[in-house]
Amino acid sequence: MRIVLFTGKGGVGKSTVAAGTAALAAAGGLRTLVISTDAAHSLADAYGAAATGRGAEPTEVAPGLFLQQVDAQLRFEQSWADIQRYLLSVLDAVGMDPVAAEEMTVIPGAEEVLALLELRQHARSGRWDVIVVDCAPTAETLRLLALPEALGWYLERLLPIQRRLVKALRPVLNRAAGVPMPGDAVFDAITRLHGELDDVHALLSGADASVRLVLTPEQVVLAEARRAYTSLCLFGYRVDGVVANRVFPDGDSDPWRAGWVAAQADVLREVAQSFGGLPVWTSEYQPAEPVGVAALTALATDLYDGADPLAVPTGDGPFRVTRGESGAVVHLALPFVTRAEVDLARNGDELVMTVGSYRRLMTLPPGLARLRVAGAGVVEGELRVRFAEPDPVATGKESR
Ligand SMILES: Nc1ncnc2c1ncn2[C@@H]1O[C@H](COP(=O)(O)OP(=O)(O)O)[C@@H](O)[C@H]1O
Ligand SMILES: [Mg+2]
């Protein structure tokens, strides 16, 4: 089962392109679900469908094409509210280490968590050949996609600590420190949520999932798309294409149009250079809003221009490990950054990577955790962290 996510700056055409891609997939006979994680649910509007897709079940808007919009109001799960309240109160009450405390900022809204859980349920249902995800604008999407790993990381640590605490200190802490004690239901809900978020992360960072960046050929939009590309790579997601939407067609031009055509051509050249190696699909500025299944299918047909819209990306994902005689190297694709812009720290069996305002705590693959970091550099858009055998002297000291 294939999962394709679309993200980009607000208003560039994410919903339009997601809806079009899904319509094209369904027209090709695939059982297709298009799901929105954007609170500004506009998929139903794009299809011009009477159905909103907001019920408990997806609504069919064309043969084989189903629409689902996650509605927190309708599907609010009480357990998440409990968990969230509990997490926040714990954060408030106990002194967590600074890294953990910073991670707290990723605690997301119920709507985002529900969207992920909903996506997982559909992905595991066996009901679909393809799921197209119409994401919220870039920043929210990144928050969403960073969530499974970050929250999982947090829950993993919180759970055993709290279990022990509760056992030993429930009577004392309840009064003295004001640490709120969760009931068993909260523990169970947290444990279940943890497992499900792990699964979402596995699905979305897996070989059958990819993210597409939608942009319009304008400088500010391109700048945001470049940053999004870097951050998506940081979090381990595979970007497999760029959509340049609302490109003005060349033609008999008045000065206004000629100006736009020239300006867009400049940015499009930069797009081609920026995302070297990725396909750039272009879609013209239509003479009218592309609304309705037929118009969207036509737009997507033009866009992919004969290429398979669901081709599984080939090549390495953004992350790989090479091993040699004397250690190993972790390679992480990180386009557009210099070494100085990457902050790297080691925290036990984790590598803490920070780029701008985004931070990833990556659990090191087995075998690497016992090695020491021997150096790091950014080469050809790739962060390379070298790991070497532990210093024998240091090891000797530790074991003494
Ligand atoms: N290629 C295009 N030509 C003309 N109008 C477009 C095109 N792509 C999108 N639109 C219109 O632009 C508006 C914003 O598109 P939308 O897909 O909702 O953006 P987003 O989901 O990124 O916020 C909508 O009215 C849509 O119909
Ligand atoms: Mg939208």
Side-chain angles (χ1 to χ4, degrees), residues 11 13-16 38 40 42 134-135:
K14 295 177 293 299
S15 300
T16 302
D38 188 353
S42 50
D134 172 28
C135 294

Side-chain angles (χ1 to χ4, degrees), residues 90-92 94-101 104 153-154 157-158 161:
V90 168
L91 168 69
D92 194 46
V94 304
M96 301 216 58
D97 76 74
V99 174
M104 292 306 87
W153 174 91
Y154 172 59
R157 276 149 193 80
L158 181 76
I161 296 170

Side-chain angles (χ1 to χ4, degrees), residues 21-27 29-34 64-67 127-132 310:
T21 304
L24 189 59
L30 298 173
R31 297 169 301 163
T32 306
L33 176 73
V34 56
L65 175 62
F66 289 79
L67 167 65
R127 208 177 144 186
W128 313 108
D129 297 315
V130 54
I131 299 182
V132 174
L310 301 172

Side-chain angles (χ1 to χ4, degrees), residues 252-261:
D252 276 340
S253 6
D254 58 69
W256 179 86
R257 176 156 158 188
W260 272 111
V261 169

Side-chain angles (χ1 to χ4, degrees), residues 13 26 59 64 84 96 147:
T59 17
Q84 192 178 36
M96 301 216 58
L147 169 71

Side-chain angles (χ1 to χ4, degrees), residues 212-272:
R212 292 181 185 163
L213 291 167
V214 184
L215 53 80
T216 50
E218 286 141 346
Q219 289 292 348
V220 279
V221 179
L222 172 59
E224 181 166 315
R226 286 168 57 106
R227 285 193 296 273
Y229 188 28
T230 306
S231 304
L232 286 165
C233 288
L234 174 69
F235 290 121
Y237 293 101
R238 210 183 255 271
V239 176
D240 76 339
V242 176
V243 174
N245 187 31
R246 283 213 226 110
V247 176
F248 288 112
D250 210 349
D252 276 340
S253 6
D254 58 69
W256 179 86
R257 176 156 158 188
W260 272 111
V261 169
Q264 286 198 339
D266 282 347
V267 180
L268 283 172
R269 258 191 301 279
E270 255 184 83
V271 169

Side-chain angles (χ1 to χ4, degrees), residues 11-16 245-246 283-286 289-290 299:
V12 294
K14 295 177 293 299
S15 300
T16 302
N245 187 31
R246 283 213 226 110
S283 173
E284 286 194 348
Y285 211 130
Q286 308 289 316
E289 268 186 284
L299 183 141

